[in-house]
Amino acid sequence: MKYQIAVIPGDGIGPEIVREAKKVLDKVGQVYGHEFEYTEVLMGGVSIDAYGVPLTEEALETARKSDSVLLGAVGGNVGNSRWYDVAPNLRPEAGLLAIRKGLNLFANIRPAYLYQELAEACPLKKEIIGDGFDMVIMRELTGGLYFGERYTKEVDGVMTAVDTLTYNENEIRRIAVKAFDIAMKRRKKVTSVDKANVLDSSRLWRKVVEEVAKDYLEVTLTHMLVDNCAMQLVMNPGQFDVILTENMFGDILSDEASMITGSIGMLSSASMNESKFGMYEPSHGSAPDIAGKDIANPIATILSAAMMLRYSFDLDQEADAVEAAVKKVLSQGARTADIWSEGCEKVSTTQMGDRIAECIE
Ligand code: IPM
Ligand code: MG
């Protein structure tokens, strides 16, 4: 079969990691008889440099018309790049938010599990890691603080900045349904994370999640406050199956979850709308400090491409093959710098992509 993929390399290490993911997809195509056709789209800093805006209408349209989107990362050094001191809607990250909103990608799925091979790279003690962990963070992606009204102005002679956090019940319900659906295919546990001891939006969140839970009697629902969740993730990560949470909390908790997998370079993600359409990107950023050095870890992007095969194209066998290839290469001892430990072989971004592609069978 033929699939049209919009590819957004973006900034920093984006082009390097996306190149490796395409390499792996092409190998999947060869072995399983599919054709992946790529249309390159500019977004983020590179789009600002070319067109003055982080995402053009045409770029959004190309993404919308494709079968799915593969994204590297966008953005420069925070506080210290030519793209930082501009109006908020003209920053690289605004392109990312605009494409998420423009394609209605409200459900962000971030799986975090520990490869036994990477136990050495996990910063937690062995007794805490136990038998490892395998969780999915279901992050709401098109609402909350990221999309509320925001401004900075002088109020009574004092500079004042305002961000607003809004959720309506429909936005909460649709992400909750996705989380429960995924839980049904896993260990049937949902931990809904909020700050209901302080925030109104969290109280509504809890209420709606409880309503949704009534349709999933087999799933065990627990509520957890976000500060407690941050602590539980490093105290007892094995307790989590599906974590359901709003946009900002999900952003923070997914970075934390990624680190206990050994490296943020391991965490893939899928951002989906109501249908099978999705945008697939690593959970990490553009890491401008290591860009162009061929040392970034491409695994999160490669695993994101595997999620694309599974969720958008229903190619489960092919997705399994990519995941198995990653596991095999790790068991052979190949490691990029971020996950390297004594006794392993240090490989570059390109080599890691080559090795994984070679192992696709
Ligand atoms: C992520 C990133 C983005 C986010 C940034 C780059 C805007 O951190 O995908 O987690 O905060 O959503
Ligand atoms: Mg983040």
Side-chain angles (χ1 to χ4, degrees):
M1 214 145 132
K2 199 165 169 171
Y3 300 93
Q4 300 283 345
I5 303 176
V7 173
I8 309 180
D11 308 314
I13 58 171
E16 298 162 69
I17 53 180
V18 161
R19 184 190 65 215
E20 299 314 312
K22 280 166 66 185
K23 190 185 278 175
V24 173
L25 281 174
D26 287 340
K27 183 65 188 295
V28 168
Q30 266 174 37
V31 174
Y32 289 88
H34 306 296
E35 205 180 318
F36 300 110
E37 218 172 74
Y38 310 105
T39 312
E40 204 159 296
V41 174
L42 293 190
M43 189 173 92
V46 283
S47 173
I48 298 176
D49 290 347
Y51 305 115
V53 289
L55 181 73
T56 62
E57 263 310 312
E58 295 73 43
L60 183 59
E61 207 38 47
T62 306
R64 189 176 281 132
K65 284 201 303 241
S66 64
D67 295 322
S68 76
V69 184
L70 178 68
L71 165 66
V74 296
N77 269 319
V78 173
N80 173 30
S81 95
R82 64 183 177 285
W83 306 314
Y84 186 73
D85 273 326
V86 296
N89 62 330
L90 294 178
R91 290 182 198 146
E93 291 78 5
L96 182 59
L97 301 194
I99 199 168
R100 286 174 178 170
K101 194 75 169 178
L103 301 175
N104 198 25
L105 306 173
F106 65 88
N108 184 221
I109 309 168
R110 299 187 162 182
Y113 48 89
L114 185 68
Y115 286 90
Q116 281 314 318
E117 291 81 1
L118 292 187
E120 283 299 310
C122 174
L124 302 180
K125 287 190 190 134
K126 287 206 167 52
E127 52 273 29
I128 286 179
I129 300 173
D131 297 333
F133 51 86
D134 177 356
M135 69 185 96
V136 169
I137 298 184
M138 180 62 88
R139 168 188 177 194
E140 200 292 327
L141 203 60
T142 52
L145 272 174
Y146 280 63
F147 293 93
E149 192 193 353
R150 102 173 86 251
Y151 56 82
T152 306
K153 69 176 183 194
E154 219 176 277
V155 179
D156 300 331
V158 183
M159 281 308 283
T160 306
V162 174
D163 293 284
T164 42
L165 200 179
T166 307
Y167 271 108
N168 69 40
E169 56 180 315
N170 298 335
E171 291 171 309
I172 301 169
R173 191 167 294 112
R174 64 183 183 178
I175 186 75
V177 166
K178 288 256 183 196
F180 279 90
D181 282 344
I182 286 212
M184 283 299 288
K185 295 188 186 165
R186 296 174 46 94
R187 303 196 306 279
K188 300 194 171 64
K189 248 186 96 175
V190 170
T191 308
S192 176
V193 174
D194 61 39
K195 189 70 185 171
N197 53 348
V198 178
L199 303 176
D200 264 40
S201 56
S202 285
R203 284 174 186 251
L204 182 62
W205 184 277
R206 246 181 216 220
K207 184 164 169 279
V208 175
V209 170
E210 271 169 15
E211 282 165 18
V212 171
K214 291 191 183 127
D215 293 332
Y216 298 85
L217 294 176
E218 282 173 64
V219 178
T220 312
L221 168 68
T222 40
H223 300 284
M224 194 178 274
L225 296 174
V226 62
D227 46 353
N228 184 26
C229 182
M231 182 177 79
Q232 296 293 335
L233 272 172
V234 289
M235 214 171 76
N236 179 12
Q239 71 184 286
F240 296 109
D241 180 18
V242 177
I243 292 180
L244 161 64
T245 193
E246 64 92 54
N247 204 347
M248 181 74 147
F249 298 158
D251 179 45
I252 298 167
L253 295 175
S254 61
D255 265 33
E256 189 185 2
S258 74
M259 197 53 226
I260 59 172
T261 69
S263 163
I264 190 166
M266 297 298 298
L267 205 78
S268 56
S269 99
S271 307
M272 319 278 303
N273 65 14
E274 282 300 357
S275 73
K276 286 190 172 300
F277 183 86
M279 181 164 83
Y280 299 84
E281 53 172 313
S283 301
H284 59 72
S286 60
D289 49 321
I290 58 164
K293 295 187 178 157
D294 202 26
I295 57 172
N297 185 350
I299 293 180
T301 319
I302 291 169
L303 291 174
S304 303
M307 290 182 89
M308 171 190 294
L309 297 172
R310 194 183 301 285
Y311 293 127
S312 283
F313 304 157
D314 282 324
L315 299 175
D316 284 342
Q317 201 189 346
E318 290 81 342
D320 289 345
V322 174
E323 287 168 6
V326 169
K327 216 170 156 34
K328 186 163 174 194
V329 169
L330 290 175
S331 69
Q332 290 167 351
R335 304 278 189 278
T336 41
D338 57 317
I339 48 175
W340 183 84
S341 58
E342 208 58 48
C344 294
E345 179 195 0
K346 199 178 271 182
V347 299
S348 67
T349 311
T350 314
Q351 287 167 326
M352 184 56 100
D354 286 343
R355 300 272 179 99
I356 293 170
E358 274 162 29
C359 288
I360 300 285
E361 50 196 21

